Amino acid sequence: MFDFLGSVLKNVISKPATRMYPYETREAMDKARGALGEIEIEKCIFCGICATKCPSIAIKVDKAERSWEFNRLKCIVCNVCVEVCPVKCLHMDKAHLGPLLAVEKTKRNGPPKPAPAAKAAESTN
Amino acid sequence: MIKTTIPFGPQHPVLPEPLHLKLVMEDEKIVEAIPAIGYVHRGLEKLAEVKDFHQNVFLVERICGICSVQHAMAYVQGIETMMNIEIPDRAKYLRVIWAELHRIHSHLLWLGLFADAFGFEALFMQCWRDREKVMDIMEATSGARVVVSVNVVGGTKRDISSEHLAEIIRVVDQVKEDMKNMENAFLNDYTVKHRTVGVGHLTKEQAYSLGAVGPMARASGVAQDLRTLGYAAYNDLCFDMVVETAGDCWARTAVRLKEVYECVRLIKAAIDKLPKGDFAVPVKGNPTGEVISRVEQPRGEVLYYIKGNGTKNLDRLRVRTPTFANIPTLLVMLPGSQLADVPVLLLTIDPCISCTER
Amino acid sequence: MIENIAEITKDQLLGETQKMSGQNYRFVTTSCVDLGDGNLDVLYHFDKDAKLQNLRIKAKRGEEVPSISKIYLCAVLVENEMKELFGLNVTGMAIDYGGHMLLTPEALKNPQSKITIEQRGEK
């Protein structure tokens, strides 16, 4: 009947296994998928692959308007958009975000289309 | 005697799942029990026909959080059979490692909840404390604690580095050590045994004819575990089935508890034999034809029936989850038992209603 | 591509299921597939020693199909599900939820059948 007493006593004298969250937070793991980070819009070529591959239709890309729109509340943080991006302008943040108070859509407009010569110079970087 | 009908659930302190039971009582004894579901039906099978077959991997993972790796495994193995894709050996072993880590975390969750149901708070905390270690290692290797999203058609998404492999071995050894301590409390404690031994008895014949799966069936002496089919890398890992014969709540606890040891052994064997090389192959084309894919989940056998039509969308994705097969056993187990035993008895089928209704 | 599949008619269903039961098969589940134009494929999966044995019947939506729940009680849930989601008229079920096991009274009828889905709102 007292099989567990040893463990209980050990727990009484040892440090707690829990953390005083939110005063004390754990560093996110290196590979953690926390939240989709800010897009590097100047690199984006508006190909729309991220929007078609997204399983939860959270990304919307308008090629004509050169805009990239992201609905955080639809995002399931699966990392697919980051993996398929041909110019690697998306990246995943390690830390996850806190609660939102309102529906928030991130819309980013790219710079106007550069001249072909400038674009070629950019791609060599 | 006057019969009273007592509704049990869909909101009940012992069960976070919305399962409703109509219990027809005579005094304190149940004479009839009718389960009712339908509180969390999401129409996922229909949604799977709209998404393309790569996106469906993320969809099926969200059928159930606790067994997401095995859901994805069943789905991608089905698609791979349809498209004749031979995945690299390393991917097969990586899948086994993640699947068994998932099984450990699922069983620890259940053991904790079960301890809570019979009122042993310290044991509950101890189980969940160990589960936290397993979830941390899953975050370190895959990026998320529960919905790990590592399986893709053609292999796995990520590799596990050698430092992480060493860390996994350290964690599972620690879990095994702690489990030894808890095993005594779960299986031999006088008060705990009063709540579990002889409660909810299910004979071998009943379990078989009612189609019970997983630990439910194995606790009644039905030797049936789909890991014996040898999917992924289970063929090379000399898998041992855990079977108990008592058929009561105690036996179901024992099966799950001993399976944790088996998981630890399988993980260490898989890490030991882990071949080098690629972990994914490129996938071209679309699936066509019909296939049935079965995988053993922590809760039992899951069946995927997939029908492709040569386009990127599937014609049909049918999922039969283990709890769906285990609910009919309640029709036999509940009548004759006491009302006070219902929470404990209900928990031993490890109900996952969001799985069941999809 | 499915191994061990036998095509039968719905009149043979009860007899074949009885035979399965006699051979000590375990009932796994059934799968219903909408083929379009109200044609349904119903697959019955049975298992013995981790080997599947399947039966396939063809039916029209609304057509009467006998319930196998008198032979395998555990088929009750899945037959109710087929009745609700596909509109297959399964008769003689041991427990009949009356079409409201998963769906509420105001829900769409036969939601799993081939229906066109309109995009609501913006994408």
Side-chain angles (χ1 to χ4, degrees):
Chain A
M1 202 166 165
F2 299 105
D3 294 318
F4 207 60
L5 201 61
S7 307
V8 173
L9 288 174
K10 211 170 117 196
N11 286 344
V12 167
I13 50 169
S14 60
K15 275 204 294 182
T18 47
R19 227 171 277 115
M20 288 296 281
Y21 188 82
Y23 305 106
E24 198 187 314
T25 49
R26 191 200 63 189
E27 188 79 1
M29 306 278 183
D30 270 347
K31 284 180 170 178
R33 304 193 303 267
L36 186 64
E38 185 62 46
I39 183 175
E40 295 173 48
I41 196 74
E42 62 282 357
K43 268 199 206 168
C44 182
I45 53 169
F46 303 99
C47 59
I49 294 179
C50 53
T52 42
K53 294 274 179 186
C54 177
S56 60
I57 331 176
I59 303 176
K60 206 175 141 189
V61 176
D62 196 326
K63 198 164 186 169
E65 209 185 297
R66 290 177 70 76
S67 72
W68 180 88
E69 197 179 323
F70 171 56
N71 186 346
R72 190 171 298 287
L73 292 181
K74 275 188 179 174
C75 178
I76 55 169
V77 210
C78 62
N79 211 24
V80 161
C81 50
V82 179
E83 282 157 24
V84 296
C85 184
V87 290
K88 305 277 167 240
C89 69
L90 291 167
H91 65 274
M92 197 48 85
D93 279 348
K94 279 194 288 180
H96 63 85
L97 289 176
L100 290 181
L101 293 173
V103 180
E104 195 181 272
K105 281 184 189 166
T106 320
K107 191 169 184 178
R108 296 283 175 265
N109 280 305
K113 209 170 189 175
K119 202 176 173 188
E122 237 175 48
S123 61
T124 52
N125 289 343
Chain B
M1 192 174 278
I2 306 162
K3 284 185 182 167
T4 350
T5 310
I6 296 184
F8 183 95
Q11 296 289 333
H12 194 276
V14 76
L15 204 66
E17 304 277 351
L19 174 65
H20 175 69
L21 286 172
K22 268 193 200 92
L23 302 174
V24 182
M25 314 281 302
E26 254 177 21
D27 208 4
E28 282 281 296
K29 213 174 198 122
I30 299 163
V31 284
E32 202 187 352
I34 298 166
I37 53 175
Y39 298 93
V40 282
H41 176 61
R42 294 165 285 171
L44 270 167
E45 287 180 0
K46 190 73 200 169
L47 184 58
E49 294 167 17
V50 187
K51 303 274 171 201
D52 84 39
F53 73 98
H54 289 292
Q55 292 175 333
N56 276 341
V57 181
F58 302 103
L59 181 69
V60 298
E61 279 185 332
R62 279 155 182 83
I63 292 176
C64 173
I66 306 297
C67 19
S68 68
V69 171
Q70 279 92 349
H71 268 296
M73 236 167 125
Y75 175 76
V76 296
Q77 281 174 9
I79 296 280
E80 280 156 8
T81 324
M82 256 157 122
M83 296 172 73
N84 289 321
I85 300 170
E86 182 61 43
I87 66 162
D89 281 344
R90 189 174 176 90
K92 289 181 184 170
Y93 279 80
L94 290 176
R95 279 181 186 176
V96 169
I97 293 172
W98 270 308
E100 292 306 315
L101 277 174
H102 228 77
R103 197 182 307 274
I104 294 183
H105 116 84
S106 170
H107 280 345
L108 282 174
L109 172 117
W110 180 83
L111 287 166
L113 285 177
F114 189 56
D116 193 39
F118 55 67
F120 204 148
E121 287 280 326
L123 197 54
F124 160 63
M125 295 289 181
Q126 194 72 29
C127 287
W128 280 42
R129 183 175 162 167
D130 278 322
R131 176 171 176 255
E132 204 60 29
K133 293 175 192 159
V134 179
M135 302 228 289
D136 275 351
I137 190 73
M138 284 204 287
E139 183 177 343
T141 52
S142 71
R145 284 155 55 86
V146 177
V147 186
V148 295
S149 287
V150 283
N151 291 306
V152 283
V153 180
T156 58
K157 234 170 158 182
R158 298 190 178 196
D159 199 2
I160 305 183
S161 65
S162 49
E163 299 92 69
H164 279 143
L165 289 174
E167 177 71 11
I168 292 176
I169 292 181
R170 197 185 62 79
V171 168
V172 294
D173 274 338
Q174 219 175 359
V175 169
K176 191 178 175 184
E177 209 53 43
D178 289 343
M179 283 305 288
K180 287 231 167 87
N181 196 6
M182 285 188 268
E183 183 177 346
N184 220 5
F186 269 115
L187 302 183
N188 302 327
D189 192 285
Y190 175 76
T191 48
V192 174
K193 271 170 96 173
H194 262 282
R195 293 302 305 273
T196 56
V197 174
V199 174
H201 192 258
L202 192 70
T203 62
K204 188 178 176 181
E205 288 71 35
Q206 281 172 335
Y208 196 80
S209 67
L210 286 167
V213 292
M216 278 296 289
R218 292 198 285 278
S220 294
V222 182
Q224 162 207 314
D225 190 319
L226 290 176
R227 282 176 282 177
T228 49
L229 287 179
Y231 62 87
Y234 284 108
N235 238 353
D236 314 335
L237 297 174
C238 316
F239 160 70
D240 283 329
M241 207 188 298
V242 181
V243 183
E244 288 281 337
T245 48
D248 53 4
C249 291
W250 183 89
R252 283 165 223 147
T253 319
V255 165
R256 291 190 174 105
L257 213 138
K258 286 171 187 165
E259 265 186 19
V260 175
Y261 298 133
E262 184 59 25
C263 294
V264 170
R265 203 190 59 74
L266 280 174
I267 290 172
K268 287 168 87 171
I271 290 177
D272 196 39
K273 287 187 178 176
L274 187 65
K276 289 201 168 34
D278 280 344
F279 53 89
V281 286
V283 178
K284 281 201 186 75
N286 292 317
T288 165
E290 288 174 302
V291 80
I292 294 173
S293 164
R294 293 194 296 166
V295 155
E296 183 78 12
Q297 273 191 351
R299 283 161 186 74
E301 160 203 51
V302 64
L303 179 140
Y304 271 67
Y305 166 83
I306 310 169
K307 188 177 182 191
N309 55 2
T311 66
K312 66 187 172 73
N313 296 81
L314 298 175
D315 253 4
R316 176 94 169 100
L317 177 70
R318 157 107 179 102
V319 187
R320 201 296 309 267
T321 54
T323 311
F324 202 93
N326 280 337
I327 285 179
T329 57
L330 288 175
L331 293 170
V332 177
M333 284 196 306
L334 282 172
S337 61
Q338 300 286 320
L339 179 63
D341 284 334
V342 174
V344 169
L345 210 164
L346 194 55
L347 256 185
T348 53
I349 75 162
D350 203 352
C352 181
I353 305 301
S354 55
C355 259
T356 310
E357 296 177 23
R358 304 169 305 281
Chain C
M1 255 167 112
I2 298 178
E3 289 171 357
N4 308 327
I5 191 156
E7 311 267 342
I8 55 166
T9 64
K10 65 169 188 164
D11 305 323
Q12 290 172 296
L13 177 65
L14 284 178
E16 288 291 322
T17 314
Q18 195 74 58
K19 240 186 258 172
M20 286 289 177
S21 167
Q23 287 167 24
N24 209 9
Y25 271 90
R26 177 175 65 93
F27 177 75
V28 180
T29 194
T30 73
S31 306
C32 197
V33 188
D34 194 319
L35 304 172
D37 303 327
N39 290 308
L40 300 172
D41 245 10
V42 189
L43 286 99
Y44 290 78
H45 311 289
F46 299 90
D47 168 292
K48 188 179 180 182
D49 300 327
K51 273 218 166 59
L52 274 182
Q53 178 70 45
N54 307 291
L55 303 174
R56 190 203 299 268
I57 62 166
K58 304 239 178 237
K60 286 252 179 218
R61 174 163 306 122
E63 197 175 306
E64 282 192 8
V65 171
S67 162
I68 60 163
S69 59
K70 295 270 153 43
I71 306 160
Y72 288 101
L73 177 65
C74 48
V76 150
L77 285 180
V78 76
E79 285 180 342
N80 272 290
E81 189 188 288
M82 286 200 296
K83 191 173 178 176
E84 281 179 50
L85 300 183
F86 287 93
L88 187 75
N89 191 8
V90 187
T91 50
M93 288 183 287
I95 304 172
D96 197 335
Y97 287 86
H100 300 300
M101 186 177 82
L102 295 173
L103 304 177
T104 50
E106 62 269 21
L108 184 73
K109 288 271 172 295
N110 318 331
Q112 280 275 358
S113 51
K114 284 245 182 312
I115 43 172
T116 48
I117 298 168
E118 284 175 22
Q119 189 86 42
R120 202 198 320 158
E122 53 168 355
K123 196 181 170 187

